[in-house]
Amino acid sequence: MRANGTFGVKAFVPTELKPEPAVTTGLPVGVATMEKHFEGEIAGRSATLFTAAYDQQSGVGTYVAMESFEGSLHGRSGAFNFVHSATTSGSDRTAEFFTIVPSSGTGDLAGISGTGGLGADADGTHRIRLDYELG
């Protein structure tokens, strides 16, 4: 099944967590937590651990995020984890990865598996797509 939704970031909080041992690279690595709220066929909220090597001036970098979602897909309630990453050279999105973590589903979403994607419209609307199965 495919579920579509929109989301907004309600909180983005950088942390003081730094990789050890310290290694100096061309892009600094940072860690943050995020809270997102979703609407549409995907409705609910998520808590995210967000890691990135990113240059804010040029918009170049890569992120990896692990999200814990709770809410509903097509009216089925529960929770599950998903992981995603992407790279940008400032104006594009490449090397995208998105998967639902196996065995992470609860409630009506127990047994969920699948993939998905994230994107942003020209007007700044953030979108999520899940292609999933319940087994």
Side-chain angles (χ1 to χ4, degrees):
M1 296 186 72
R2 174 168 284 182
N4 294 292
T6 58
F7 67 90
V9 175
K10 299 300 178 186
F12 184 91
V13 182
T15 71
E16 295 299 318
L17 182 63
K18 301 289 180 199
E20 289 293 333
V23 176
T24 302
T25 63
L27 291 177
V29 173
V31 178
T33 61
M34 298 174 72
E35 179 184 350
K36 295 179 186 172
H37 289 204
F38 299 83
E39 296 180 348
E41 296 169 331
I42 303 166
R45 66 182 183 157
S46 71
T48 307
L49 293 174
F50 184 86
T51 303
Y54 186 73
D55 177 25
Q56 294 217 357
Q57 275 191 318
S58 66
V60 173
T62 299
Y63 80 89
V64 177
M66 177 66 73
E67 294 202 35
S68 299
F69 170 85
E70 68 178 358
S72 65
L73 299 180
H74 291 121
R76 294 182 177 101
S77 296
F80 59 92
N81 298 317
F82 61 95
V83 63
H84 53 97
S85 66
T87 295
T88 181
S89 62
S91 61
D92 63 349
R93 232 175 117 86
T94 61
E96 294 181 81
F97 176 81
F98 190 116
T99 195
I100 296 171
V101 177
S103 298
S104 68
T106 67
D108 296 338
L109 302 176
I112 192 169
S113 63
T115 62
L118 300 172
D121 296 344
D123 68 0
T125 302
H126 287 83
R127 299 198 177 274
I128 183 170
R129 176 193 84 253
L130 290 177
D131 294 309
Y132 70 96
E133 294 180 12
L134 292 170

